[in-house]
Amino acid sequence: MSSVDVLNAEGAKAGSVELPGDIFDVQANIPLMHQVVVAQLAAARQGTAKAKTRGEVAGGGKKPYKQKGTGRARQGSIRAPQFTGGGVVHGPVPRDYSQRTPKKMKAAALRGALSDRARDGRVHVVEAFVTGEKPSTKAAIATLRKATEARKVLVVLSSTDELNWLSLRNESSVHLLESGQLNTYDVLVADDVVFTKDALDEFLGVPAEASEESK
């Protein structure tokens, strides 16, 4: 296990937690992470691109000119693929781009991505970004910048944390996720990952263990 400091809303150290080694300190399987990321991006594609074939393009029913005697190649329709405005050969048709990815592969790829960030010291934990009951983007950003100065930050919140969500949702450098939505792509595309203490507990399924010095 590795230990990470927990910061309070003022940016001061309020304790520390242990990150389980089976999630935050495993060997990263790069081909596996690549496969999972490609599958995730493929599943996000709409797959609605469509090009008309020569049989679907309007017009072209009349033979453009007679078969013989013109010195030109014979043509039967101005909607043939070689004509401007004609049909498309082997064009895109609506399709499903999604790939089947087993849950164990997704979980293993996510562990590898989190471990890569944790080994570089790019996983942070805060108690909360805002205190009180009123959202404040200014206060939330101030707390975030005391944890990390990264240009692109993934912030993981618990499913019931509406206050911090409202405080950070308009910040362009922050991507927000609930703990249950955490995925390999968003971890890898972010420079740093910041958990709230509640989100980390929710993600692990059990309360994160406090380190000895904070007990």
mmCIF file of all heavy atoms in Angstrom, residues 57-95:
data_model
loop_
_atom_site.group_PDB
_atom_site.id
_atom_site.type_symbol
_atom_site.label_atom_id
_atom_site.label_comp_id
_atom_site.label_asym_id
_atom_site.label_seq_id
_atom_site.Cartn_x
_atom_site.Cartn_y
_atom_site.Cartn_z
ATOM 1 N N VAL A 57 -29.887 7.305 -55.451
ATOM 2 C CA VAL A 57 -29.811 8.703 -55.846
ATOM 3 C C VAL A 57 -30.976 9.036 -56.777
ATOM 4 O O VAL A 57 -31.286 8.283 -57.704
ATOM 5 C CB VAL A 57 -28.475 9.009 -56.550
ATOM 6 C CG1 VAL A 57 -28.406 10.459 -56.971
ATOM 7 C CG2 VAL A 57 -27.317 8.675 -55.631
ATOM 8 N N ALA A 58 -31.626 10.172 -56.529
ATOM 9 C CA ALA A 58 -32.767 10.571 -57.365
ATOM 10 C C ALA A 58 -32.307 10.932 -58.772
ATOM 11 O O ALA A 58 -31.242 11.521 -58.974
ATOM 12 C CB ALA A 58 -33.482 11.760 -56.729
ATOM 13 N N GLY A 59 -33.118 10.605 -59.758
ATOM 14 C CA GLY A 59 -32.826 10.950 -61.145
ATOM 15 C C GLY A 59 -32.016 9.866 -61.842
ATOM 16 O O GLY A 59 -31.795 8.771 -61.321
ATOM 17 N N GLY A 60 -31.574 10.191 -63.056
ATOM 18 C CA GLY A 60 -30.719 9.260 -63.782
ATOM 19 C C GLY A 60 -31.465 8.167 -64.517
ATOM 20 O O GLY A 60 -30.844 7.217 -65.009
ATOM 21 N N GLY A 61 -32.779 8.301 -64.642
ATOM 22 C CA GLY A 61 -33.539 7.242 -65.323
ATOM 23 C C GLY A 61 -33.395 7.256 -66.831
ATOM 24 O O GLY A 61 -33.587 6.246 -67.490
ATOM 25 N N LYS A 62 -33.048 8.420 -67.351
ATOM 26 C CA LYS A 62 -32.932 8.554 -68.815
ATOM 27 C C LYS A 62 -31.479 8.343 -69.247
ATOM 28 O O LYS A 62 -30.549 8.822 -68.604
ATOM 29 C CB LYS A 62 -33.404 9.947 -69.231
ATOM 30 C CG LYS A 62 -33.296 10.216 -70.726
ATOM 31 C CD LYS A 62 -33.700 11.659 -71.019
ATOM 32 C CE LYS A 62 -33.531 11.964 -72.502
ATOM 33 N NZ LYS A 62 -33.877 13.376 -72.817
ATOM 34 N N LYS A 63 -31.312 7.638 -70.346
ATOM 35 C CA LYS A 63 -29.970 7.437 -70.895
ATOM 36 C C LYS A 63 -29.424 8.790 -71.346
ATOM 37 O O LYS A 63 -30.093 9.531 -72.069
ATOM 38 C CB LYS A 63 -30.046 6.463 -72.069
ATOM 39 C CG LYS A 63 -28.705 5.970 -72.580
ATOM 40 C CD LYS A 63 -28.923 4.862 -73.612
ATOM 41 C CE LYS A 63 -27.602 4.431 -74.222
ATOM 42 N NZ LYS A 63 -26.718 3.781 -73.243
ATOM 43 N N PRO A 64 -28.220 9.192 -70.895
ATOM 44 C CA PRO A 64 -27.725 10.544 -71.174
ATOM 45 C C PRO A 64 -27.529 10.840 -72.659
ATOM 46 O O PRO A 64 -27.723 11.977 -73.092
ATOM 47 C CB PRO A 64 -26.411 10.610 -70.408
ATOM 48 C CG PRO A 64 -26.035 9.204 -70.124
ATOM 49 C CD PRO A 64 -27.312 8.430 -70.029
ATOM 50 N N TYR A 65 -27.116 9.886 -73.444
ATOM 51 C CA TYR A 65 -27.001 10.063 -74.888
ATOM 52 C C TYR A 65 -27.021 8.679 -75.527
ATOM 53 O O TYR A 65 -26.933 7.656 -74.836
ATOM 54 C CB TYR A 65 -25.734 10.843 -75.268
ATOM 55 C CG TYR A 65 -24.465 10.373 -74.581
ATOM 56 C CD1 TYR A 65 -23.761 9.263 -75.051
ATOM 57 C CD2 TYR A 65 -23.972 11.057 -73.455
ATOM 58 C CE1 TYR A 65 -22.610 8.834 -74.425
ATOM 59 C CE2 TYR A 65 -22.816 10.632 -72.827
ATOM 60 C CZ TYR A 65 -22.134 9.523 -73.301
ATOM 61 O OH TYR A 65 -21.007 9.093 -72.675
ATOM 62 N N LYS A 66 -27.139 8.673 -76.840
ATOM 63 C CA LYS A 66 -27.321 7.388 -77.518
ATOM 64 C C LYS A 66 -26.103 6.483 -77.341
ATOM 65 O O LYS A 66 -25.000 6.939 -77.057
ATOM 66 C CB LYS A 66 -27.617 7.613 -78.991
ATOM 67 C CG LYS A 66 -26.500 8.273 -79.772
ATOM 68 C CD LYS A 66 -26.922 8.501 -81.216
ATOM 69 C CE LYS A 66 -25.786 9.111 -82.036
ATOM 70 N NZ LYS A 66 -26.174 9.289 -83.459
ATOM 71 N N GLN A 67 -26.341 5.197 -77.558
ATOM 72 C CA GLN A 67 -25.315 4.189 -77.299
ATOM 73 C C GLN A 67 -24.115 4.329 -78.222
ATOM 74 O O GLN A 67 -22.982 4.230 -77.794
ATOM 75 C CB GLN A 67 -25.934 2.789 -77.451
ATOM 76 C CG GLN A 67 -24.995 1.631 -77.178
ATOM 77 C CD GLN A 67 -24.841 1.315 -75.699
ATOM 78 O OE1 GLN A 67 -25.212 2.117 -74.854
ATOM 79 N NE2 GLN A 67 -24.292 0.160 -75.393
ATOM 80 N N LYS A 68 -24.384 4.574 -79.527
ATOM 81 C CA LYS A 68 -23.296 4.557 -80.515
ATOM 82 C C LYS A 68 -23.217 5.875 -81.282
ATOM 83 O O LYS A 68 -24.164 6.671 -81.292
ATOM 84 C CB LYS A 68 -23.509 3.415 -81.506
ATOM 85 C CG LYS A 68 -23.412 2.022 -80.898
ATOM 86 C CD LYS A 68 -23.679 0.960 -81.958
ATOM 87 C CE LYS A 68 -23.525 -0.443 -81.389
ATOM 88 N NZ LYS A 68 -22.128 -0.741 -81.061
ATOM 89 N N GLY A 69 -22.076 6.100 -81.870
ATOM 90 C CA GLY A 69 -21.929 7.204 -82.795
ATOM 91 C C GLY A 69 -21.417 8.504 -82.210
ATOM 92 O O GLY A 69 -21.130 9.446 -82.968
ATOM 93 N N THR A 70 -21.278 8.586 -80.917
ATOM 94 C CA THR A 70 -20.819 9.855 -80.320
ATOM 95 C C THR A 70 -19.309 9.895 -80.140
ATOM 96 O O THR A 70 -18.724 10.960 -79.927
ATOM 97 C CB THR A 70 -21.473 10.078 -78.947
ATOM 98 O OG1 THR A 70 -21.035 9.067 -78.038
ATOM 99 C CG2 THR A 70 -22.994 10.026 -79.050
ATOM 100 N N GLY A 71 -18.653 8.772 -80.189
ATOM 101 C CA GLY A 71 -17.213 8.717 -79.939
ATOM 102 C C GLY A 71 -16.876 8.664 -78.459
ATOM 103 O O GLY A 71 -15.708 8.597 -78.086
ATOM 104 N N ARG A 72 -17.892 8.724 -77.621
ATOM 105 C CA ARG A 72 -17.675 8.691 -76.175
ATOM 106 C C ARG A 72 -17.992 7.296 -75.644
ATOM 107 O O ARG A 72 -18.596 6.467 -76.322
ATOM 108 C CB ARG A 72 -18.567 9.721 -75.473
ATOM 109 C CG ARG A 72 -18.306 11.142 -75.923
ATOM 110 C CD ARG A 72 -19.240 12.119 -75.229
ATOM 111 N NE ARG A 72 -19.020 12.106 -73.782
ATOM 112 C CZ ARG A 72 -19.767 12.772 -72.919
ATOM 113 N NH1 ARG A 72 -20.804 13.482 -73.348
ATOM 114 N NH2 ARG A 72 -19.500 12.722 -71.619
ATOM 115 N N ALA A 73 -17.567 7.075 -74.411
ATOM 116 C CA ALA A 73 -17.874 5.787 -73.781
ATOM 117 C C ALA A 73 -19.378 5.667 -73.561
ATOM 118 O O ALA A 73 -20.060 6.664 -73.299
ATOM 119 C CB ALA A 73 -17.131 5.664 -72.457
ATOM 120 N N ARG A 74 -19.901 4.484 -73.705
ATOM 121 C CA ARG A 74 -21.335 4.275 -73.510
ATOM 122 C C ARG A 74 -21.705 4.503 -72.035
ATOM 123 O O ARG A 74 -20.979 4.110 -71.136
ATOM 124 C CB ARG A 74 -21.708 2.859 -73.953
ATOM 125 C CG ARG A 74 -20.922 1.772 -73.262
ATOM 126 C CD ARG A 74 -21.091 0.441 -73.953
ATOM 127 N NE ARG A 74 -20.250 -0.580 -73.311
ATOM 128 C CZ ARG A 74 -20.103 -1.808 -73.797
ATOM 129 N NH1 ARG A 74 -20.723 -2.181 -74.896
ATOM 130 N NH2 ARG A 74 -19.330 -2.667 -73.166
ATOM 131 N N GLN A 75 -22.834 5.165 -71.844
ATOM 132 C CA GLN A 75 -23.317 5.468 -70.494
ATOM 133 C C GLN A 75 -24.804 5.174 -70.417
ATOM 134 O O GLN A 75 -25.548 5.438 -71.363
ATOM 135 C CB GLN A 75 -23.067 6.934 -70.124
ATOM 136 C CG GLN A 75 -21.628 7.392 -70.204
ATOM 137 C CD GLN A 75 -20.744 6.747 -69.140
ATOM 138 O OE1 GLN A 75 -21.238 6.209 -68.154
ATOM 139 N NE2 GLN A 75 -19.428 6.795 -69.342
ATOM 140 N N GLY A 76 -25.217 4.663 -69.267
ATOM 141 C CA GLY A 76 -26.633 4.338 -69.113
ATOM 142 C C GLY A 76 -27.346 5.237 -68.133
ATOM 143 O O GLY A 76 -28.579 5.300 -68.109
ATOM 144 N N SER A 77 -26.586 5.963 -67.272
ATOM 145 C CA SER A 77 -27.224 6.810 -66.273
ATOM 146 C C SER A 77 -26.242 7.868 -65.787
ATOM 147 O O SER A 77 -25.048 7.589 -65.611
ATOM 148 C CB SER A 77 -27.700 5.971 -65.084
ATOM 149 O OG SER A 77 -28.128 6.785 -64.019
ATOM 150 N N ILE A 78 -26.741 9.078 -65.569
ATOM 151 C CA ILE A 78 -25.868 10.130 -65.036
ATOM 152 C C ILE A 78 -25.712 9.991 -63.522
ATOM 153 O O ILE A 78 -25.048 10.805 -62.885
ATOM 154 C CB ILE A 78 -26.410 11.534 -65.370
ATOM 155 C CG1 ILE A 78 -27.811 11.730 -64.784
ATOM 156 C CG2 ILE A 78 -26.394 11.782 -66.863
ATOM 157 C CD1 ILE A 78 -28.305 13.159 -64.889
ATOM 158 N N ARG A 79 -26.342 8.985 -62.928
ATOM 159 C CA ARG A 79 -26.187 8.742 -61.495
ATOM 160 C C ARG A 79 -25.223 7.585 -61.218
ATOM 161 O O ARG A 79 -25.121 7.104 -60.106
ATOM 162 C CB ARG A 79 -27.546 8.441 -60.858
ATOM 163 C CG ARG A 79 -28.504 9.634 -60.904
ATOM 164 C CD ARG A 79 -27.946 10.804 -60.103
ATOM 165 N NE ARG A 79 -28.855 11.939 -60.093
ATOM 166 C CZ ARG A 79 -28.611 13.099 -60.699
ATOM 167 N NH1 ARG A 79 -27.480 13.259 -61.391
ATOM 168 N NH2 ARG A 79 -29.476 14.092 -60.638
ATOM 169 N N ALA A 80 -24.483 7.166 -62.251
ATOM 170 C CA ALA A 80 -23.442 6.159 -62.068
ATOM 171 C C ALA A 80 -22.302 6.773 -61.240
ATOM 172 O O ALA A 80 -22.123 7.997 -61.225
ATOM 173 C CB ALA A 80 -22.925 5.682 -63.416
ATOM 174 N N PRO A 81 -21.520 5.968 -60.530
ATOM 175 C CA PRO A 81 -20.489 6.491 -59.607
ATOM 176 C C PRO A 81 -19.462 7.407 -60.246
ATOM 177 O O PRO A 81 -18.912 8.284 -59.584
ATOM 178 C CB PRO A 81 -19.817 5.219 -59.077
ATOM 179 C CG PRO A 81 -20.843 4.158 -59.223
ATOM 180 C CD PRO A 81 -21.611 4.490 -60.464
ATOM 181 N N GLN A 82 -19.203 7.276 -61.542
ATOM 182 C CA GLN A 82 -18.177 8.107 -62.171
ATOM 183 C C GLN A 82 -18.657 9.522 -62.474
ATOM 184 O O GLN A 82 -17.862 10.386 -62.821
ATOM 185 C CB GLN A 82 -17.652 7.453 -63.459
ATOM 186 C CG GLN A 82 -18.658 7.369 -64.589
ATOM 187 C CD GLN A 82 -19.416 6.064 -64.569
ATOM 188 O OE1 GLN A 82 -19.580 5.450 -63.528
ATOM 189 N NE2 GLN A 82 -19.883 5.640 -65.744
ATOM 190 N N PHE A 83 -19.958 9.782 -62.319
ATOM 191 C CA PHE A 83 -20.497 11.118 -62.573
ATOM 192 C C PHE A 83 -20.613 11.921 -61.280
ATOM 193 O O PHE A 83 -20.907 11.370 -60.215
ATOM 194 C CB PHE A 83 -21.889 11.018 -63.220
ATOM 195 C CG PHE A 83 -21.869 10.616 -64.662
ATOM 196 C CD1 PHE A 83 -22.193 9.318 -65.040
ATOM 197 C CD2 PHE A 83 -21.524 11.534 -65.646
ATOM 198 C CE1 PHE A 83 -22.183 8.940 -66.361
ATOM 199 C CE2 PHE A 83 -21.516 11.159 -66.973
ATOM 200 C CZ PHE A 83 -21.832 9.863 -67.346
ATOM 201 N N THR A 84 -20.415 13.242 -61.414
ATOM 202 C CA THR A 84 -20.669 14.127 -60.286
ATOM 203 C C THR A 84 -22.147 14.054 -59.919
ATOM 204 O O THR A 84 -23.009 14.172 -60.798
ATOM 205 C CB THR A 84 -20.302 15.580 -60.635
ATOM 206 O OG1 THR A 84 -18.917 15.646 -60.969
ATOM 207 C CG2 THR A 84 -20.595 16.510 -59.452
ATOM 208 N N GLY A 85 -22.416 13.893 -58.642
ATOM 209 C CA GLY A 85 -23.809 13.746 -58.214
ATOM 210 C C GLY A 85 -24.304 12.325 -58.306
ATOM 211 O O GLY A 85 -25.478 12.061 -58.005
ATOM 212 N N GLY A 86 -23.429 11.419 -58.719
ATOM 213 C CA GLY A 86 -23.831 10.016 -58.816
ATOM 214 C C GLY A 86 -23.734 9.304 -57.475
ATOM 215 O O GLY A 86 -23.410 9.903 -56.448
ATOM 216 N N GLY A 87 -24.023 8.016 -57.476
ATOM 217 C CA GLY A 87 -23.976 7.224 -56.260
ATOM 218 C C GLY A 87 -22.546 6.990 -55.793
ATOM 219 O O GLY A 87 -21.575 7.281 -56.503
ATOM 220 N N VAL A 88 -22.419 6.477 -54.581
ATOM 221 C CA VAL A 88 -21.109 6.196 -53.980
ATOM 222 C C VAL A 88 -20.901 4.683 -53.925
ATOM 223 O O VAL A 88 -21.803 3.940 -53.532
ATOM 224 C CB VAL A 88 -21.007 6.786 -52.563
ATOM 225 C CG1 VAL A 88 -19.677 6.431 -51.919
ATOM 226 C CG2 VAL A 88 -21.188 8.299 -52.615
ATOM 227 N N VAL A 89 -19.723 4.268 -54.326
ATOM 228 C CA VAL A 89 -19.402 2.840 -54.293
ATOM 229 C C VAL A 89 -18.798 2.470 -52.946
ATOM 230 O O VAL A 89 -17.865 3.123 -52.479
ATOM 231 C CB VAL A 89 -18.414 2.482 -55.421
ATOM 232 C CG1 VAL A 89 -18.078 0.990 -55.373
ATOM 233 C CG2 VAL A 89 -19.004 2.845 -56.763
ATOM 234 N N HIS A 90 -19.317 1.454 -52.315
ATOM 235 C CA HIS A 90 -18.815 0.963 -51.021
ATOM 236 C C HIS A 90 -18.772 2.077 -49.966
ATOM 237 O O HIS A 90 -17.819 2.177 -49.177
ATOM 238 C CB HIS A 90 -17.420 0.353 -51.170
ATOM 239 C CG HIS A 90 -17.344 -0.741 -52.200
ATOM 240 N ND1 HIS A 90 -18.194 -1.830 -52.180
ATOM 241 C CD2 HIS A 90 -16.531 -0.891 -53.279
ATOM 242 C CE1 HIS A 90 -17.898 -2.621 -53.210
ATOM 243 N NE2 HIS A 90 -16.895 -2.073 -53.889
ATOM 244 N N GLY A 91 -19.757 2.941 -49.972
ATOM 245 C CA GLY A 91 -19.821 4.026 -48.999
ATOM 246 C C GLY A 91 -20.260 3.526 -47.631
ATOM 247 O O GLY A 91 -20.639 2.365 -47.458
ATOM 248 N N PRO A 92 -20.211 4.411 -46.613
ATOM 249 C CA PRO A 92 -20.610 4.011 -45.257
ATOM 250 C C PRO A 92 -22.109 3.741 -45.163
ATOM 251 O O PRO A 92 -22.913 4.377 -45.849
ATOM 252 C CB PRO A 92 -20.214 5.220 -44.410
ATOM 253 C CG PRO A 92 -20.253 6.375 -45.359
ATOM 254 C CD PRO A 92 -19.802 5.829 -46.679
ATOM 255 N N VAL A 93 -22.469 2.809 -44.336
ATOM 256 C CA VAL A 93 -23.871 2.498 -44.043
ATOM 257 C C VAL A 93 -24.028 2.446 -42.529
ATOM 258 O O VAL A 93 -23.052 2.199 -41.806
ATOM 259 C CB VAL A 93 -24.301 1.156 -44.675
ATOM 260 C CG1 VAL A 93 -24.292 1.239 -46.193
ATOM 261 C CG2 VAL A 93 -23.408 0.016 -44.197
ATOM 262 N N PRO A 94 -25.219 2.705 -42.006
ATOM 263 C CA PRO A 94 -25.407 2.654 -40.554
ATOM 264 C C PRO A 94 -24.963 1.323 -39.971
ATOM 265 O O PRO A 94 -25.258 0.258 -40.508
ATOM 266 C CB PRO A 94 -26.927 2.849 -40.395
ATOM 267 C CG PRO A 94 -27.311 3.646 -41.594
ATOM 268 C CD PRO A 94 -26.446 3.128 -42.703
ATOM 269 N N ARG A 95 -24.212 1.389 -38.861
ATOM 270 C CA ARG A 95 -23.706 0.163 -38.250
ATOM 271 C C ARG A 95 -23.429 0.408 -36.771
ATOM 272 O O ARG A 95 -23.354 1.553 -36.314
ATOM 273 C CB ARG A 95 -22.413 -0.296 -38.934
ATOM 274 C CG ARG A 95 -21.341 0.776 -38.989
ATOM 275 C CD ARG A 95 -19.991 0.231 -39.386
ATOM 276 N NE ARG A 95 -19.398 -0.568 -38.332
ATOM 277 C CZ ARG A 95 -18.144 -0.976 -38.316
ATOM 278 N NH1 ARG A 95 -17.326 -0.657 -39.301
ATOM 279 N NH2 ARG A 95 -17.679 -1.703 -37.325
#
